[in-house]
Amino acid sequence: TVDRNQNRRRIKEVENSFGPSAPELFTPGRFLKGEGTLMKQGRKKWDQKMFFLFNDILVYSSIIMNNRWYKNPKIIPLKDIMLEDMEDSDDVKHQWLICTPRKSFHVSASSDEEKKAWMQHIEACQQSLLQESVLPTKTTYAKSWIPDRVAQKCMRCLATKCGFVVCNACSKGRALIQHINPNKPLRVCKVCNKTEDDKNFRLRGGSSGLWDDSEETSSDEE
């Protein structure tokens, strides 16, 4: 149909806007639902990003020229997203939290109406996926990092596990965080590191060196 042809042409235009290293976004059954700029909170400051909402994924990227050319696209399956409404602060209005297993971050719209529209459209797409039995029943989400400017001193860690801020001298611990990167040890604070050590100790059966079947079974279910 004409609508499908227009949709395919528009998705190809989005692909081309990323240049030679563009991700392949078009796939049968995928539709572009909306697009626009939002402010995204980074470690040091808020930056304007371009967001593209499809019926099954959310794509955001940096803007390099006149809202027409983009780079470093990040693609997030909608099945992995949880939204959390946030109240206005003195510095930031119309914000909400986008949570994913690998990364969670704040975004801000230019108005309350725009914020509600984004959240409602994302949730509507997720409802459609839920009806198709695509959404998982349980997901572990990454903590949102506290911006550097908010941390006047070491708060315990800038750890991937708990999201707190810590100086380098206080964050020697590393641990595998399965839902973020099961192969690369990531920085964790002393509290998180001790928690991981205690959990591993319990799984080994404490000082007896024997496996505790009940603990192992409980861990696997989680």
Side-chain angles (χ1 to χ4, degrees), residues 12-163:
K12 286 299 182 182
E13 289 175 357
V14 173
E15 287 183 359
N16 294 336
S17 68
F18 290 109
S21 59
E24 186 173 348
L25 296 175
F26 180 79
T27 186
R30 176 171 292 165
F31 288 88
L32 180 62
K33 309 294 286 188
E35 59 188 80
T37 57
L38 294 170
M39 298 300 293
K40 175 184 174 293
Q41 187 182 56
R43 284 275 304 279
K44 299 185 180 297
K45 62 178 182 176
W46 287 82
D47 288 313
Q48 188 179 55
K49 303 287 185 181
M50 188 67 186
F51 282 76
F52 300 93
L53 175 62
F54 297 83
N55 60 313
D56 62 335
I57 59 173
L58 180 67
V59 180
Y60 71 91
S61 65
S62 300
I63 303 171
I64 57 176
M65 190 175 71
N66 300 329
N67 288 350
R68 292 185 59 192
W69 298 100
Y70 316 110
K71 67 176 182 178
N72 301 330
K74 306 293 189 300
I75 301 175
I76 310 174
L78 291 185
K79 66 182 181 63
D80 292 339
I81 288 178
M82 179 182 71
L83 304 182
E84 182 178 341
D85 195 2
M86 305 294 293
E87 295 183 358
D88 291 348
S89 66
D90 293 337
D91 299 327
V92 184
K93 310 294 183 184
H94 323 304
Q95 62 175 319
W96 70 98
L97 183 63
I98 297 179
C99 302
T100 79
R102 294 183 62 85
K103 184 178 183 180
S104 298
F105 53 90
H106 292 82
V107 292
S108 171
S110 60
S111 67
D112 192 55
E113 291 75 17
E114 184 182 3
K115 167 188 171 178
K116 290 178 179 177
W118 271 102
M119 295 184 70
Q120 289 172 358
H121 280 89
I122 292 174
E123 289 171 346
C125 291
Q126 289 181 315
Q127 285 299 316
S128 296
L129 294 175
L130 184 61
Q131 293 173 2
E132 299 170 9
S133 300
V134 176
L135 290 180
T137 57
K138 183 178 180 181
T139 303
T140 302
Y141 295 98
K143 298 292 184 181
S144 59
W145 280 0
I146 298 173
D148 288 354
R149 61 182 176 80
V150 177
Q152 301 299 321
K153 60 180 180 180
C154 172
M155 294 174 59
R156 206 170 70 219
C157 75
L158 188 351
T160 313
K161 187 173 180 64
C162 66

Side-chain angles (χ1 to χ4, degrees), residues 150-158 164-171 189-190:
V150 177
Q152 301 299 321
K153 60 180 180 180
C154 172
M155 294 174 59
R156 206 170 70 219
C157 75
L158 188 351
F164 272 39
V165 179
V166 76
C167 58
N168 185 59
C170 297
S171 58
C189 67
K190 291 180 179 179

Side-chain angles (χ1 to χ4, degrees), residues 202-217:
R202 290 195 303 273
L203 289 177
R204 290 195 303 268
S207 59
S208 66
L210 301 176
W211 286 89
D212 186 335
D213 292 337
S214 62
E215 288 285 352
E216 184 178 10
T217 302

